[in-house]
Coordinates of all heavy atoms in Angstrom, one line a residue:
M7 N 16.6 -20.6 25.2 CA 16.7 -21.1 23.8 C 15.4 -21.0 23.0 O 15.4 -20.7 21.9 CB 17.1 -22.6 24.0 CG 17.4 -23.3 22.6 SD 18.9 -22.5 21.9 CE 19.1 -23.6 20.5
K8 N 14.3 -21.2 23.7 CA 13.0 -21.1 23.1 C 12.7 -19.6 22.6 O 12.2 -19.4 21.6 CB 11.9 -21.5 23.9 CG 11.8 -23.0 24.1 CD 10.6 -23.5 24.8 CE 10.5 -25.0 24.9 NZ 9.3 -25.5 25.5
K9 N 13.2 -18.7 23.4 CA 13.0 -17.3 23.1 C 13.8 -16.9 21.8 O 13.4 -16.2 20.9 CB 13.5 -16.3 24.2 CG 12.4 -16.0 25.2 CD 12.9 -14.9 26.1 CE 11.8 -14.5 27.1 NZ 12.3 -13.4 27.9
L10 N 15.1 -17.5 21.8 CA 15.9 -17.3 20.6 C 15.3 -17.8 19.4 O 15.3 -17.2 18.3 CB 17.3 -17.9 20.9 CG 18.3 -17.7 19.7 CD1 18.6 -16.3 19.5 CD2 19.6 -18.5 20.1
L11 N 14.8 -19.1 19.5 CA 14.1 -19.7 18.3 C 12.9 -18.9 17.9 O 12.7 -18.7 16.7 CB 13.8 -21.1 18.6 CG 14.9 -22.1 18.7 CD1 14.4 -23.5 19.1 CD2 15.7 -22.2 17.3
G12 N 12.2 -18.4 18.8 CA 11.0 -17.6 18.5 C 11.4 -16.3 17.8 O 10.8 -15.9 16.8
T13 N 12.4 -15.7 18.3 CA 12.9 -14.4 17.7 C 13.4 -14.7 16.3 O 13.1 -13.9 15.4 CB 14.0 -13.8 18.6 OG1 13.5 -13.6 19.9 CG2 14.5 -12.5 18.0
L14 N 14.2 -15.7 16.1 CA 14.8 -16.0 14.8 C 13.7 -16.4 13.8 O 13.7 -16.0 12.7 CB 15.8 -17.2 14.9 CG 17.1 -16.8 15.6 CD1 17.9 -18.1 15.8 CD2 17.8 -15.7 14.9
S15 N 12.6 -17.1 14.3 CA 11.5 -17.4 13.3 C 10.7 -16.2 12.9 O 10.3 -16.0 11.8 CB 10.6 -18.5 13.9 OG 10.0 -18.0 15.1
I16 N 10.6 -15.2 13.8 CA 9.9 -14.0 13.5 C 10.7 -13.1 12.5 O 10.2 -12.6 11.5 CB 9.6 -13.1 14.8 CG1 8.4 -13.8 15.5 CG2 9.2 -11.7 14.4 CD1 8.2 -13.2 16.9
I17 N 12.0 -13.1 12.8 CA 12.9 -12.3 11.9 C 13.0 -13.0 10.5 O 12.9 -12.3 9.5 CB 14.4 -12.2 12.5 CG1 14.3 -11.3 13.7 CG2 15.4 -11.8 11.5 CD1 15.6 -11.3 14.5
S18 N 13.0 -14.3 10.4 CA 13.0 -15.0 9.1 C 11.7 -14.8 8.4 O 11.7 -14.9 7.2 CB 13.4 -16.4 9.3 OG 12.4 -17.1 10.0
A19 N 10.6 -14.6 9.1 CA 9.3 -14.4 8.5 C 9.0 -13.0 8.2 O 8.0 -12.6 7.6 CB 8.2 -15.0 9.4
A20 N 9.9 -12.0 8.5 CA 9.7 -10.6 8.3 C 9.3 -10.2 6.9 O 8.3 -9.5 6.7 CB 10.9 -9.8 8.7
P21 N 9.9 -10.8 5.8 CA 9.5 -10.5 4.5 C 8.0 -10.9 4.2 O 7.3 -10.2 3.5 CB 10.4 -11.2 3.6 CG 11.7 -11.4 4.4 CD 11.2 -11.6 5.8
L22 N 7.6 -12.0 4.8 CA 6.3 -12.5 4.6 C 5.3 -11.6 5.3 O 4.2 -11.3 4.8 CB 6.1 -13.9 5.1 CG 6.9 -15.0 4.4 CD1 6.8 -16.3 5.1 CD2 6.4 -15.1 2.9
L23 N 5.7 -11.1 6.5 CA 4.8 -10.2 7.3 C 4.7 -8.8 6.6 O 3.7 -8.2 6.7 CB 5.4 -10.1 8.7 CG 5.4 -11.3 9.5 CD1 6.1 -11.1 10.9 CD2 4.0 -11.9 9.8
A24 N 5.7 -8.4 5.9 CA 5.7 -7.1 5.2 C 5.2 -7.2 3.8 O 5.1 -6.2 3.1 CB 7.1 -6.6 5.2
I25 N 4.8 -8.4 3.4 CA 4.3 -8.7 2.0 C 5.3 -8.2 1.0 O 5.0 -7.4 0.1 CB 2.9 -8.1 1.8 CG1 1.9 -8.4 2.9 CG2 2.3 -8.6 0.5 CD1 0.6 -7.7 2.8
A26 N 6.5 -8.6 1.3 CA 7.6 -8.2 0.4 C 7.5 -8.9 -0.9 O 7.0 -10.0 -1.0 CB 9.0 -8.5 1.0
H27 N 8.0 -8.2 -2.0 CA 7.9 -8.8 -3.3 C 9.1 -8.3 -4.1 O 9.6 -7.3 -3.8 CB 6.6 -8.5 -4.0 CG 6.5 -7.0 -4.3 ND1 6.9 -6.4 -5.4 CD2 6.0 -6.0 -3.5 CE1 6.7 -5.1 -5.4 NE2 6.1 -4.9 -4.2
P28 N 9.5 -9.1 -5.1 CA 10.6 -8.7 -5.9 C 10.2 -7.6 -6.9 O 9.0 -7.4 -7.1 CB 11.0 -9.9 -6.7 CG 9.8 -10.7 -6.8 CD 9.1 -10.4 -5.5
G29 N 11.1 -6.8 -7.4 CA 10.7 -5.9 -8.5 C 11.2 -4.5 -8.2 O 11.2 -3.7 -9.2
H30 N 11.6 -4.1 -7.1 CA 12.2 -2.8 -6.9 C 13.5 -2.7 -7.5 O 14.4 -3.5 -7.2 CB 12.2 -2.4 -5.4 CG 10.9 -2.2 -4.8 ND1 10.3 -1.0 -4.8 CD2 10.0 -3.0 -4.2 CE1 9.1 -1.0 -4.2 NE2 8.9 -2.3 -3.8
G31 N 13.7 -1.8 -8.4 CA 14.9 -1.6 -9.1 C 15.1 -2.5 -10.3 O 16.1 -2.4 -11.0
G32 N 14.1 -3.2 -10.7 CA 14.2 -4.2 -11.8 C 13.5 -3.6 -13.0 O 13.4 -2.4 -13.3
H33 N 13.0 -4.6 -13.8 CA 12.4 -4.2 -15.1 C 10.9 -3.8 -14.9 O 10.3 -3.4 -15.8 CB 12.4 -5.4 -16.0 CG 13.8 -5.8 -16.3 ND1 14.7 -5.1 -17.1 CD2 14.5 -6.9 -15.9 CE1 15.8 -5.6 -17.2 NE2 15.8 -6.8 -16.5
E34 N 10.3 -4.0 -13.7 CA 8.9 -3.7 -13.5 C 8.7 -2.2 -13.1 O 7.7 -1.9 -12.5 CB 8.4 -4.6 -12.4 CG 8.4 -6.1 -12.8 CD 9.7 -6.7 -12.4 OE1 10.5 -6.1 -11.6 OE2 10.0 -7.8 -12.9
G35 N 9.6 -1.3 -13.4 CA 9.3 0.1 -13.0 C 10.2 0.5 -11.9 O 10.4 1.7 -11.7
G36 N 10.7 -0.4 -11.1 CA 11.6 -0.1 -10.0 C 11.0 0.9 -9.0 O 9.9 0.7 -8.4
Y37 N 11.6 2.1 -8.9 CA 11.2 3.1 -7.9 C 10.4 4.2 -8.6 O 10.4 5.3 -8.1 CB 12.4 3.6 -7.2 CG 13.0 2.6 -6.2 CD1 14.2 2.0 -6.5 CD2 12.4 2.3 -5.0 CE1 14.7 1.1 -5.6 CE2 12.9 1.4 -4.1 CZ 14.1 0.8 -4.4 OH 14.6 -0.1 -3.6
T38 N 9.7 3.9 -9.7 CA 8.9 4.9 -10.4 C 7.5 4.8 -9.9 O 7.1 3.8 -9.3 CB 9.0 4.7 -11.9 OG1 8.5 3.5 -12.2 CG2 10.5 4.8 -12.4
I39 N 6.7 5.7 -10.3 CA 5.3 5.7 -9.9 C 4.5 4.6 -10.7 O 3.6 4.0 -10.2 CB 4.6 7.1 -10.2 CG1 3.2 7.2 -9.6 CG2 4.5 7.4 -11.7 CD1 3.2 7.2 -8.1
I40 N 5.0 4.2 -11.8 CA 4.4 3.1 -12.6 C 4.5 1.8 -11.8 O 3.5 1.0 -11.8 CB 5.2 2.9 -13.9 CG1 4.9 4.2 -14.8 CG2 4.7 1.7 -14.7 CD1 5.8 4.3 -16.0
H41 N 5.5 1.6 -11.0 CA 5.6 0.4 -10.2 C 4.4 0.2 -9.3 O 3.9 -0.9 -9.1 CB 6.9 0.4 -9.4 CG 7.1 -0.7 -8.5 ND1 7.5 -2.0 -8.8 CD2 6.8 -0.8 -7.1 CE1 7.5 -2.8 -7.8 NE2 7.1 -2.1 -6.7
Y42 N 4.0 1.3 -8.7 CA 2.9 1.2 -7.8 C 1.5 1.0 -8.4 O 0.6 0.7 -7.7 CB 2.8 2.5 -6.9 CG 4.1 2.6 -6.1 CD1 5.2 3.3 -6.5 CD2 4.1 2.0 -4.8 CE1 6.3 3.3 -5.7 CE2 5.2 2.0 -4.1 CZ 6.3 2.7 -4.5 OH 7.5 2.7 -3.7
F43 N 1.4 1.1 -9.7 CA 0.2 0.8 -10.4 C 0.2 -0.5 -11.1 O -0.9 -1.1 -11.4 CB -0.2 1.9 -11.4 CG -0.6 3.2 -10.7 CD1 0.3 4.3 -10.6 CD2 -1.8 3.3 -10.1 CE1 0.0 5.4 -9.9 CE2 -2.1 4.5 -9.4 CZ -1.3 5.5 -9.3
I44 N 1.4 -1.1 -11.4 CA 1.4 -2.4 -12.1 C 1.6 -3.6 -11.2 O 1.3 -4.7 -11.6 CB 2.4 -2.4 -13.3 CG1 3.9 -2.2 -12.7 CG2 2.1 -1.3 -14.3 CD1 4.9 -2.4 -13.8
E45 N 2.1 -3.3 -10.0 CA 2.3 -4.4 -9.0 C 1.0 -4.5 -8.2 O 0.5 -3.6 -7.6 CB 3.4 -4.1 -8.1 CG 4.8 -4.3 -8.7 CD 5.1 -5.7 -9.0 OE1 4.6 -6.7 -8.3 OE2 5.8 -5.9 -10.0
P46 N 0.3 -5.7 -8.2 CA -0.9 -5.9 -7.5 C -0.9 -5.5 -6.0 O -1.9 -5.0 -5.5 CB -1.2 -7.4 -7.7 CG -0.5 -7.8 -8.9 CD 0.8 -6.9 -8.9
V47 N 0.2 -5.8 -5.4 CA 0.3 -5.5 -4.0 C 0.1 -4.0 -3.7 O -0.5 -3.5 -2.8 CB 1.7 -5.9 -3.4 CG1 1.9 -5.5 -2.0 CG2 1.8 -7.4 -3.5
H48 N 0.8 -3.2 -4.6 CA 0.7 -1.7 -4.4 C -0.6 -1.2 -5.1 O -1.2 -0.2 -4.6 CB 1.9 -1.0 -5.1 CG 3.2 -1.4 -4.5 ND1 3.5 -1.1 -3.2 CD2 4.3 -1.9 -5.0 CE1 4.7 -1.5 -2.9 NE2 5.2 -2.0 -4.0
A49 N -1.0 -1.8 -6.2 CA -2.2 -1.3 -7.0 C -3.4 -1.3 -6.1 O -4.2 -0.3 -6.2 CB -2.4 -2.1 -8.2
I50 N -3.6 -2.3 -5.4 CA -4.8 -2.4 -4.5 C -4.9 -1.3 -3.5 O -5.9 -0.6 -3.4 CB -4.9 -3.8 -3.8 CG1 -5.1 -4.9 -4.8 CG2 -6.0 -3.8 -2.7 CD1 -4.9 -6.3 -4.3
V51 N -3.8 -1.0 -2.9 CA -3.7 0.1 -1.9 C -3.8 1.5 -2.6 O -4.6 2.4 -2.2 CB -2.5 0.0 -1.1 CG1 -2.3 1.2 -0.1 CG2 -2.4 -1.3 -0.3
S52 N -3.1 1.6 -3.7 CA -3.1 2.9 -4.4 C -4.5 3.2 -5.0 O -5.0 4.4 -4.8 CB -2.1 2.8 -5.6 OG -0.8 2.7 -5.2
I53 N -5.1 2.3 -5.6 CA -6.4 2.5 -6.1 C -7.4 2.8 -5.0 O -8.3 3.6 -5.1 CB -6.9 1.4 -7.0 CG1 -6.0 1.3 -8.3 CG2 -8.4 1.4 -7.4 CD1 -6.2 0.1 -9.2
G54 N -7.3 2.0 -3.9 CA -8.2 2.3 -2.8 C -8.0 3.7 -2.2 O -9.0 4.3 -1.9
C55 N -6.8 4.2 -2.1 CA -6.6 5.5 -1.6 C -7.1 6.6 -2.6 O -7.7 7.6 -2.2 CB -5.1 5.8 -1.4 SG -4.4 4.9 0.0
I56 N -7.0 6.3 -3.9 CA -7.5 7.3 -4.9 C -9.0 7.3 -4.8 O -9.6 8.4 -4.8 CB -7.0 6.9 -6.3 CG1 -5.5 7.2 -6.4 CG2 -7.7 7.7 -7.4 CD1 -4.9 6.6 -7.6
V57 N -9.6 6.2 -4.8 CA -11.1 6.1 -4.7 C -11.6 6.8 -3.4 O -12.6 7.6 -3.4 CB -11.6 4.7 -4.8 CG1 -13.1 4.6 -4.4 CG2 -11.4 4.1 -6.2
T58 N -11.0 6.5 -2.3 CA -11.3 7.1 -1.0 C -11.2 8.6 -1.1 O -12.1 9.4 -0.6 CB -10.5 6.5 0.1 OG1 -10.7 5.1 0.1 CG2 -10.9 7.1 1.5
T59 N -10.1 9.1 -1.6 CA -9.9 10.6 -1.7 C -10.9 11.2 -2.6 O -11.5 12.3 -2.3 CB -8.5 10.9 -2.3 OG1 -7.5 10.2 -1.4 CG2 -8.2 12.3 -2.4
I60 N -11.2 10.6 -3.8 CA -12.3 11.2 -4.7 C -13.6 11.2 -3.9 O -14.4 12.2 -4.0 CB -12.3 10.4 -6.0 CG1 -11.1 10.6 -6.8 CG2 -13.6 10.7 -6.8 CD1 -10.9 9.7 -8.0
A61 N -14.0 10.1 -3.2 CA -15.2 10.1 -2.5 C -15.3 11.1 -1.4 O -16.3 11.8 -1.2 CB -15.5 8.7 -1.9
F62 N -14.2 11.3 -0.7 CA -14.1 12.3 0.4 C -14.3 13.7 -0.2 O -15.1 14.5 0.3 CB -12.8 12.2 1.1 CG -12.7 13.2 2.2 CD1 -13.4 13.0 3.4 CD2 -11.8 14.3 2.1 CE1 -13.3 13.9 4.4 CE2 -11.7 15.2 3.2 CZ -12.4 15.0 4.3
V63 N -13.6 14.0 -1.3 CA -13.7 15.4 -1.9 C -15.1 15.6 -2.4 O -15.7 16.7 -2.2 CB -12.6 15.5 -3.0 CG1 -12.9 16.8 -3.8 CG2 -11.2 15.5 -2.4
A64 N -15.7 14.6 -3.1 CA -17.1 14.8 -3.6 C -18.0 15.0 -2.4 O -18.9 15.8 -2.5 CB -17.5 13.5 -4.4
Y65 N -17.9 14.3 -1.3 CA -18.7 14.4 -0.2 C -18.6 15.8 0.4 O -19.6 16.5 0.7 CB -18.4 13.4 0.9 CG -19.0 13.6 2.2 CD1 -20.4 13.2 2.4 CD2 -18.4 14.1 3.3 CE1 -21.0 13.4 3.6 CE2 -19.0 14.3 4.5 CZ -20.3 14.0 4.7 OH -20.9 14.1 5.9
K66 N -17.4 16.3 0.5 CA -17.1 17.6 1.1 C -17.7 18.7 0.2 O -18.3 19.7 0.7 CB -15.7 17.9 1.3 CG -15.1 17.2 2.5 CD -15.7 17.8 3.8 CE -14.9 17.5 5.0 NZ -15.5 18.0 6.2
R67 N -17.6 18.6 -1.1 CA -18.1 19.6 -2.0 C -19.7 19.6 -2.0 O -20.3 20.6 -2.0 CB -17.7 19.3 -3.5 CG -16.3 19.7 -3.7 CD -15.9 19.5 -5.2 NE -14.5 19.9 -5.4 CZ -13.9 19.8 -6.5 NH1 -14.6 19.3 -7.6 NH2 -12.7 20.2 -6.7
K68 N -20.2 18.4 -1.9 CA -21.7 18.3 -1.9 C -22.2 18.9 -0.6 O -23.2 19.6 -0.6 CB -22.1 16.8 -2.0 CG -23.6 16.6 -2.2 CD -23.8 15.1 -2.5 CE -25.2 14.9 -3.0 NZ -25.5 13.5 -3.3
R69 N -21.5 18.6 0.5 CA -21.9 19.2 1.8 C -21.8 20.7 1.9 O -22.6 21.4 2.5 CB -21.1 18.5 2.9 CG -21.6 18.8 4.3 CD -21.0 17.9 5.3 NE -21.5 18.3 6.6 CZ -21.1 17.9 7.7 NH1 -20.0 17.1 7.8 NH2 -21.6 18.3 8.9
S70 N -20.7 21.2 1.3 CA -20.5 22.7 1.3 C -21.5 23.4 0.4 O -21.8 24.6 0.7 CB -19.1 23.0 0.9 OG -18.9 22.7 -0.4
Q71 N -22.1 22.8 -0.6 CA -23.1 23.4 -1.5 C -24.4 23.5 -0.8 O -25.2 24.4 -1.1 CB -23.2 22.6 -2.8 CG -22.0 22.8 -3.7 CD -22.1 21.9 -4.9 OE1 -23.0 21.2 -5.1 NE2 -21.2 22.1 -5.8
K72 N -24.7 22.6 0.2 CA -26.0 22.6 0.9 C -26.1 23.7 1.9 O -27.1 24.2 2.2 CB -26.2 21.2 1.6 CG -26.5 20.1 0.6 CD -26.8 18.8 1.4 CE -27.2 17.7 0.5 NZ -27.4 16.5 1.2
C73 N -24.9 24.1 2.4 CA -24.9 25.2 3.5 C -25.2 26.5 3.0 O -25.2 27.1 2.1 CB -23.6 25.1 4.2 SG -23.4 23.6 5.2

C-alpha cells in the first residue's frame, strides 16, 4: 500500500517536476517560436542556449585565427 501511495504521489506531482505551465495552444503563441521567447520558463533556457552558442562560435573563430 505504501508503494502504491508513493507511486501515486509521484505521478500526481509529475507536472510540477516537469515545470509544466499553461499556454500551449492558447493565446500566448501556442506552438510557435514566439511562445518560447515570451514564456519565462522557456525564455531562460532559450536565451541561455543562444548565448552559449554565440560564445562557443566566437571562441572557435578566435582560436582558429591564432593558428
Side-chain angles (χ1 to χ4, degrees):
M7 185 69 174
K8 285 186 179 185
K9 273 188 173 182
L10 178 63
L11 287 175
T13 304
L14 289 175
S15 63
I16 289 173
I17 291 171
S18 66
L22 296 174
L23 297 173
I25 311 175
H27 64 90
H30 288 272
H33 300 289
E34 297 86 17
Y37 290 104
T38 64
I39 191 71
I40 294 168
H41 174 80
Y42 293 93
F43 290 105
I44 62 173
E45 287 291 329
V47 173
H48 298 301
I50 293 169
V51 175
S52 298
I53 292 170
C55 289
I56 290 168
V57 168
T58 303
T59 302
I60 291 171
F62 180 74
V63 169
Y65 171 76
K66 283 293 195 181
R67 284 185 180 176
K68 192 174 189 178
R69 189 167 180 193
S70 67
Q71 288 177 354
K72 287 183 179 180
C73 294

